[in-house]
Amino acid sequence: MRRREGEETVASRTITLNINGEERNVMVRNADTLLYTLRGKLGLSGSKPGCLNGDCGACTVNVDGWPMKSCLMLAVEAEGKKVMTIEGLRNAPIQQAFVKEFAFQCGYCTPGFIMNCHALLEQHPNADDKTIKEWLESNICRCTSYIEIEKAVKSVLRGHSGGS
Amino acid sequence: MDVIGKSVIRKEAADKVTGRAKYTNDFQSIEMLSCKMVISPYGHAKIVNIDTSKAWKVPGVIAIIAGKRYPLTGEAIRDRPPIAVDKVRYHGEPVALVVAETPSQAKTAADLIKVQYELLPVVNSPAQAFQKDAPLVHERLGEYKLEADSYPVPGTNIATHYKIRKGNMEKGWSESETVVEASFSFAPSDHAAMETRCATAEIVPDGNIMITTSSQAPFMVKRLIADYFGEDMGKIIVRTPLVGGAYGGKASVQLEVLAYLASKEVGGRPVKLLNTREEDIITSACHIGLDATVKLGVDRSGKIRAAEIRYLWDGGAYSDKAVDVSRSGAVDCTGPYDVENLWCDSYCMYTNHPYAAPFRGFSHSELSFAIERTMDLLAQKLNMDPFELRYINAIQPGDTTPTRVKLNKSNVGNLRKCIEKVKELFKWEEGAIKEIDDRFIRVKGVSCSWKTSTIDTDAPSGVILTFNRDGSINLMSGVVEIGTGTKTILAQILAERMRMDVDNIHVRMEVDTQTTPEHWKTVASRGTFMGGRAVLRAAEDAINQLKEIAACALRAPKDDLEVANSRVFLRDDPSIGLHFKDICYGFKYPNGQTIGQQVIGRGSYILRHLTHLDPETGAGKPGPEWTVAAYGVEIEFDKRDYTYRLIKACTVVDVGNVMNEKAAEGQVMGAMSMGLAFAGRETFYFDELGRVLNPQLRTYRPLRYGENPEYLVGFVKTPQLDGPYGARGLGEHGLMGMPGALGNALSIASGVSLHHLPLIPELIWRAKEAVK
């Protein structure tokens, strides 16, 4: 770490974060957001900055089972919590569904959308239209028409209700 | 056709759903410095003083650039200092750059730079800019360096004036029984790609300038930086990984220049410049605004006899690509209708607004709002079905375009078929208006559009194919993957031509101007058309080489050989043949002797016969072909508070041929979504100082999940004979008709003619109040 005397007015310290099932030690300033820490300190660039004030949802991760916009959470607030990023999501049905339904184009909003959809499907495996809308309207996709994303989510919903 | 038309999964799909897909800002290194802009808080102001003393005291600050004169930049007109000097011309204009070790240090220092301004009178609309006594945005307009096809008028705010003069206006008006004239306007807005623009630059000791950028035009970055700063073109290496949405907004070259200057200032060390959302909306180029007046005359049968059109484009503070947008607006000024007698003035105006980039549709969604609203006013006056009026005037083979290009069955699609199909999909026969109850009414609005792609007359596209030793092929094209899936479609075109499995074709997603053959710019729906033609030629080249080697090895004439399933074989006995893996690096006999050589396929393409336009009449061939489309939008309108809900949006486009069905539908639906947002809610709100009041995604609101209507997509397939497998451009067309169709639906529903965008309830209320 390059640091100089008096470089920061904000204090820094080393914290331990549980990211994708691994304990990671990382030096953060108290002012560092979780998003900045994930991308800049841990090399997890799947979470995307889009607005840095919670408007777009491109940085959505999963914290203790709930979707969280990582630009709105400080890294120090994530201590003691289980954080999952898109890199920690492997072969989830929603990922396959996104591919199958062409639910992305440029792909920039996709990690955030998938993390949000994944949490939705875990919390509400039989979500109705209203619930899906409530959850997904927090993210912006500028390329698709949202119909593709709706189809992807619903294809996994049906799978859940039919399979279990 | 085995592969063309199939919904082949995108080549980069797995990367995109796992977070592994990398965009410009995802590349970071420990030594990379961070650059931050100081931007103008005003629309028009003199820079009196810049005090950087406090900023220099922030630890980690390495350089500050302010008040330094660099060569002027720009495309058609070199009118833009990369960093403002003397005065600022728009809210958001870069005034200073800070380079520091970390982003937070750079931001802290940038916030401490004190700039003293003296306010100047603001030009807040193109109509105001056009007035004789308007303040001048550029006092030295006559001294700027110009490209061909730009005609600035010194002493005014006119960056360029394009003229279309066709037929005989006197005759046209005398033959017109019914005339309608109307004016329309809307302010600039934004592309709002989810990835904000980002550029990094490094100048390495051998002098190579390494740039990485989220751009639709990496080859243009190379050319322009060489040209602006006298650098050797071969030493500029521009890399573009995946791009997170572009829609035209990333065709302008801006941050790359700033990153280059910043790196130069710190001895060539690597520097990153990343737009915040707010900077991305106002500092970087935006979506053009327009003030338009349209006058149409028709004879008794409803046939248009004359049209007089004036477009005042809001090019903003710098002309950049707005000159070309204004030209494109002149080229297709009438919409997709046959107009024999035509007079059009298309002006690119300077204002004190953020400057304009191309926007998906490149002037066509904008002019289409003006034309299609006027067409509906005309239909009302004639008491005619709005589709019928469009049908009888629809452009057809044998007609000429505004710039007098003679149309034929190949270079224009079939608009009448599009109209017929939209009527069917949209259940037009059920009627345009349905009263739900006292409060709610459902209304359908319609529109049509057309578009050619006005690109440089010598714009190239190139492709290189190399082989792996297992016989699979690597496809390298300069097309940037901006989200449209074009590179997957290029692989499909190659697979179709080689009659092989598309899974055995590997596509390089990243573009690097040193090793990827040039594709001019990934704009204007030209990727599939031009890149596809280059792929076909490269395939031909590779097949020829493979056959030559196989002919020798099989002791058979080349003419007797066929290629399929990654093999070259005898036409009359396919069992006798060789797999690509045995010939793509030459054929080796058992004793080791080898004949032939490594097979490298090369292909390139330039559109034929494109010309500049005659400055007095506009005559000339600006583009290769015209894609046509017809649209419908259905809304449910609340008569009590003028709110409305989008029910259905429908587009039928003559695509020539469908390359990848799901990708094509996705392009059209996504474009409709963007068009409805542009028409219904997106705009910049300016105050009297020219400040944009809503540069955030909570105040500038694209459509969100659940706000979308049901989408209906239909395709007509009139092959473009020069296109790869008959394909026409597609990426922009779903958008272009939405503002007109939505405006028409809401005008009928509200009972008042609507002439502005965005179509928010307040606008409808104001229009209602005005006629009370």
Side-chain angles (χ1 to χ4, degrees):
Chain A
M1 289 246 26
R2 278 180 319 216
R3 277 180 53 76
R4 291 185 201 167
E5 193 81 32
E7 175 196 334
E8 306 285 359
T9 48
V10 184
S12 300
R13 64 188 169 99
T14 300
I15 59 171
T16 303
L17 295 178
N18 185 310
I19 312 276
N20 299 329
E22 293 171 14
E23 300 280 317
R24 304 283 300 263
N25 293 325
V26 58
M27 171 88 131
V28 298
R29 299 184 317 147
N30 286 345
D32 286 343
T33 62
L34 178 60
L35 174 66
Y36 179 78
T37 306
L38 290 171
R39 291 177 56 84
K41 305 279 175 73
L42 297 169
L44 296 169
S45 62
S47 310
K48 304 299 184 196
C51 64
L52 304 184
N53 62 5
D55 291 340
C56 79
C59 66
T60 305
V61 297
N62 188 306
V63 177
D64 287 345
W66 291 88
M68 180 69 212
K69 291 170 176 172
S70 61
C71 72
L72 292 183
M73 187 177 198
L74 296 174
V76 293
E77 291 179 287
E79 270 191 297
K81 298 189 163 69
K82 283 194 163 68
V83 177
M84 182 167 66
T85 69
I86 184 74
E87 288 90 348
L89 198 66
R90 302 273 169 84
N91 301 318
I94 189 65
Q95 289 171 299
Q96 278 317 305
F98 262 62
V99 171
K100 203 167 145 259
E101 298 297 340
F102 283 55
F104 60 87
Q105 289 180 24
C106 81
Y108 196 82
C109 74
T110 311
F113 250 110
I114 286 181
M115 294 312 287
N116 194 358
C117 291
H118 182 72
L120 163 68
L121 292 160
E122 296 277 309
Q123 303 271 355
H124 302 279
N126 292 304
D128 58 13
D129 282 354
K130 189 167 163 277
T131 308
I132 297 173
K133 181 173 183 291
E134 265 172 22
W135 278 61
L136 298 191
E137 67 189 5
S138 68
N139 293 48
I140 299 174
C141 171
R142 191 63 160 166
C143 294
T144 73
S145 71
Y146 294 115
I147 300 283
E148 302 91 330
I149 294 173
E150 183 185 353
K151 278 188 183 164
V153 170
K154 288 187 174 170
S155 74
V156 179
L157 275 184
R158 274 202 298 277
H160 268 252
S161 51
S164 57
Chain B
M1 303 245 186
D2 294 327
V3 194
I4 295 294
K6 300 277 185 316
S7 297
V8 169
I9 297 296
R10 302 168 69 112
K11 291 285 187 181
E12 80 285 18
D15 281 357
K16 282 185 174 171
V17 297
T18 55
R20 301 297 291 273
K22 289 247 195 287
Y23 303 80
T24 298
N25 180 38
D26 296 336
F27 295 92
Q28 184 67 35
S29 59
I30 291 170
E31 73 272 22
M32 192 171 275
L33 304 172
S34 191
C35 182
K36 178 76 190 165
M37 293 182 274
V38 176
I39 60 175
S40 162
Y42 302 116
H44 200 190
K46 200 175 146 198
I47 301 171
V48 178
N49 185 47
I50 304 177
D51 178 4
T52 58
S53 54
K54 275 194 183 157
W56 275 111
K57 289 183 186 142
V58 175
V61 169
I62 297 163
I64 296 176
I65 309 177
K68 205 164 165 179
R69 254 169 238 282
Y70 293 105
L72 292 176
T73 62
E75 299 222 7
I77 304 170
R78 296 282 165 85
D79 56 12
R80 187 175 82 241
I83 301 165
V85 281
D86 304 331
K87 71 170 186 173
V88 290
R89 295 181 173 89
Y90 72 96
H91 177 207
E93 182 165 1
V95 176
L97 295 181
V98 176
V99 184
E101 287 181 14
T102 69
S104 62
Q105 292 166 340
K107 166 92 168 71
T108 304
D111 289 346
L112 288 169
I113 292 179
K114 293 279 169 276
V115 187
Q116 197 188 334
Y117 296 97
E118 198 177 290
L119 293 178
L120 295 169
V122 172
V123 181
N124 231 339
S125 76
Q128 186 200 343
F130 198 64
Q131 287 163 9
K132 283 216 158 52
D133 55 349
L136 290 183
V137 179
H138 291 267
E139 296 83 358
R140 298 180 168 188
L141 186 52
E143 296 168 27
Y144 295 144
K145 190 180 159 196
L146 307 175
E147 297 279 300
D149 267 1
S150 43
Y151 313 103
V153 184
T156 74
N157 288 312
I158 300 170
T160 270
H161 177 193
Y162 289 110
K163 301 172 195 169
I164 302 289
R165 307 286 182 258
K166 186 185 156 194
N168 180 336
M169 295 313 293
E170 216 170 299
K171 178 168 167 277
W173 293 125
S174 72
E175 287 168 1
S176 300
E177 273 195 17
T178 308
V179 175
V180 166
E181 183 173 353
S183 295
F184 304 88
S185 75
F186 46 88
S189 50
D190 195 44
H191 309 78
M194 285 299 102
E195 177 205 27
T196 60
R197 297 164 180 91
C198 181
T200 67
E202 177 177 10
I203 306 167
V204 295
D206 63 8
N208 280 355
I209 299 161
M210 317 297 289
I211 291 172
T212 302
T213 172
S214 52
S215 171
Q216 292 172 265
F219 295 92
M220 210 61 205
V221 172
K222 177 169 88 165
R223 278 166 66 181
L224 289 177
I225 287 182
D227 200 24
Y228 296 156
F229 304 104
E231 300 282 6
D232 290 344
M233 211 179 282
K235 292 203 161 198
I236 304 167
I237 298 163
V238 184
R239 191 169 75 102
T240 294
L242 294 170
V243 171
Y247 326 111
K250 289 171 180 166
S252 290
V253 177
Q254 181 196 35
L255 295 193
E256 299 86 349
V257 171
L258 298 178
Y260 157 78
L261 294 174
S263 174
K264 212 168 169 180
E265 196 72 17
V266 295
R269 293 169 70 180
V271 172
K272 177 184 280 184
L273 178 54
L274 167 70
N275 272 351
T276 61
R277 174 57 59 188
E278 292 78 2
E279 289 160 350
D280 208 58
I281 289 179
I282 60 171
T283 299
S284 290
C286 68
H287 171 198
I288 205 160
L290 175 67
D291 287 353
T293 304
V294 179
K295 186 177 168 191
L296 297 177
V298 294
D299 63 19
R300 187 163 301 175
S301 67
K303 189 91 183 64
I304 300 172
R305 302 307 309 163
E308 196 179 315
I309 299 165
R310 191 181 77 177
Y311 294 136
L312 298 175
W313 299 95
D314 191 345
Y318 298 103
S319 58
D320 200 67
K321 293 304 296 172
V323 167
D324 283 352
V325 174
S326 315
R327 179 173 176 269
S328 174
V331 157
D332 288 339
C333 61
T334 53
Y337 309 112
D338 175 34
V339 182
E340 211 178 283
N341 307 302
L342 169 63
W343 180 285
C344 170
D345 292 300
S346 183
Y347 294 94
C348 179
M349 300 304 301
Y350 284 118
T351 66
N352 290 117
H353 288 165
Y355 68 95
F359 177 82
R360 200 173 194 176
F362 207 63
S363 80
H364 291 70
S365 65
E366 300 83 356
L367 72 86
S368 188
F369 174 65
I371 294 292
E372 294 302 312
R373 283 290 301 119
T374 312
M375 288 295 277
D376 254 40
L377 293 174
L378 202 50
Q380 271 168 23
K381 206 163 176 182
L382 295 167
N383 203 12
M384 193 184 250
D385 177 304
F387 265 139
E388 180 62 20
L389 177 66
R390 288 167 171 89
Y391 190 90
I392 58 176
N393 286 291
I395 195 88
Q396 295 198 85
D399 298 339
T400 59
T401 73
T403 69
R404 307 183 203 184
V405 175
K406 183 99 169 159
L407 296 171
N408 59 44
K409 278 184 183 160
S410 170
N411 67 8
V412 67
N414 191 330
L415 181 58
R416 288 188 168 173
K417 259 195 187 167
C418 292
I419 291 174
E420 282 161 12
K421 195 152 184 176
V422 127
K423 283 167 88 169
E424 202 180 296
L425 274 177
F426 205 43
K427 301 198 166 61
W428 185 246
E429 78 284 353
E430 289 177 6
I433 303 170
K434 196 158 97 188
E435 298 273 354
I436 305 286
D437 52 34
D438 286 353
R439 193 172 153 191
F440 293 102
I441 181 172
R442 284 197 179 196
V443 177
K444 294 169 182 170
V446 305
S447 70
C448 293
S449 80
W450 69 340
K451 181 178 188 292
T452 192
S453 297
T454 52
I455 67 173
D456 279 8
T457 55
D458 61 351
S461 184
V463 161
I464 293 174
L465 304 175
T466 62
F467 284 77
N468 301 301
R469 287 185 181 268
D470 63 358
S472 63
I473 303 181
N474 305 310
L475 192 165
M476 280 157 285
S477 150
V479 172
V480 177
E481 184 46 73
I482 54 177
T484 52
T486 307
K487 288 201 141 162
T488 302
I489 287 169
L490 294 183
Q492 288 180 256
I493 291 171
L494 181 62
E496 186 73 38
R497 179 64 192 86
M498 306 282 285
R499 294 164 69 194
M500 67 187 282
D501 188 339
V502 73
D503 290 343
N504 292 329
I505 294 169
H506 307 281
V507 177
R508 176 153 151 206
M509 286 296 158
E510 184 173 301
V511 168
D512 152 3
T513 60
Q514 191 177 40
T515 57
T516 324
E518 176 166 344
H519 177 79
W520 182 64
K521 297 179 193 178
T522 304
V523 296
S525 302
R526 289 298 88 186
T528 297
F529 191 110
M530 293 173 58
R533 282 293 297 267
V535 163
L536 287 175
R537 205 153 157 195
E540 221 52 65
D541 188 34
I543 288 169
N544 190 44
Q545 294 172 50
L546 290 163
K547 279 185 178 173
E548 262 173 18
I549 298 166
C552 195
L554 296 170
R555 292 177 194 144
K558 216 170 110 185
D559 292 347
D560 290 0
L561 300 176
E562 289 281 334
V563 169
N565 302 318
S566 300
R567 286 175 78 246
V568 183
F569 52 85
L570 290 179
R571 186 175 297 116
D572 70 346
D573 185 358
S575 70
I576 299 173
L578 290 161
H579 193 274
F580 286 176
K581 70 178 160 55
D582 299 319
I583 47 177
C584 63
Y585 279 79
F587 177 77
K588 190 150 93 177
Y589 287 96
N591 71 357
Q593 278 184 24
T594 302
I595 55 158
Q597 67 288 312
Q598 179 183 171
V599 175
I600 299 174
R602 67 202 165 100
S604 60
Y605 182 71
I606 282 184
L607 289 166
R608 94 178 120 77
H609 293 172
L610 300 191
T611 69
H612 297 295
L613 303 182
D614 183 289
E616 292 310 315
T617 66
K621 188 179 178 197
E625 52 104 10
W626 279 259
T627 299
V628 294
Y631 312 84
V633 169
E634 184 177 9
I635 48 123
E636 186 176 282
F637 183 72
D638 184 338
K639 288 188 266 188
R640 202 167 67 178
D641 61 9
Y642 308 144
T643 58
Y644 62 93
R645 201 157 60 86
L646 299 168
I647 306 292
K648 275 180 191 165
C650 178
T651 295
V652 173
V653 51
D654 190 340
V655 286
N657 193 6
V658 174
M659 300 277 104
N660 179 319
E661 192 166 3
K662 275 196 179 174
E665 285 172 0
Q667 280 301 300
V668 176
M669 293 198 300
M672 281 196 269
S673 168
M674 191 173 255
L676 289 169
F678 160 44
R681 45 170 66 202
E682 293 183 16
T683 191
F684 287 167
Y685 292 99
F686 292 98
D687 69 4
E688 69 282 4
L689 297 179
R691 290 181 292 200
V692 178
L693 301 177
N694 58 330
Q696 291 195 316
L697 293 175
R698 62 186 56 180
T699 44
Y700 184 98
R701 293 189 75 252
L703 283 186
R704 286 178 184 264
Y705 184 98
E707 294 175 328
N708 54 285
E710 179 191 343
Y711 290 105
L712 305 166
V713 179
F715 295 119
V716 169
K717 299 176 187 175
T718 311
Q720 148 66 294
L721 300 178
D722 291 329
Y725 298 103
R728 298 174 188 275
L730 171 71
E732 304 166 283
H733 302 79
L735 192 156
M736 284 153 29
M738 291 297 113
L742 183 64
N744 288 337
L746 284 168
S747 294
I748 297 168
S750 65
V752 61
S753 185
L754 300 169
H755 295 248
H756 308 282
L757 298 176
L759 296 153
I760 56 172
E762 183 186 329
L763 176 110
I764 300 169
W765 173 75
R766 283 183 193 284
K768 295 284 281 187
E769 291 297 304
V771 296
K772 257 185 188 169

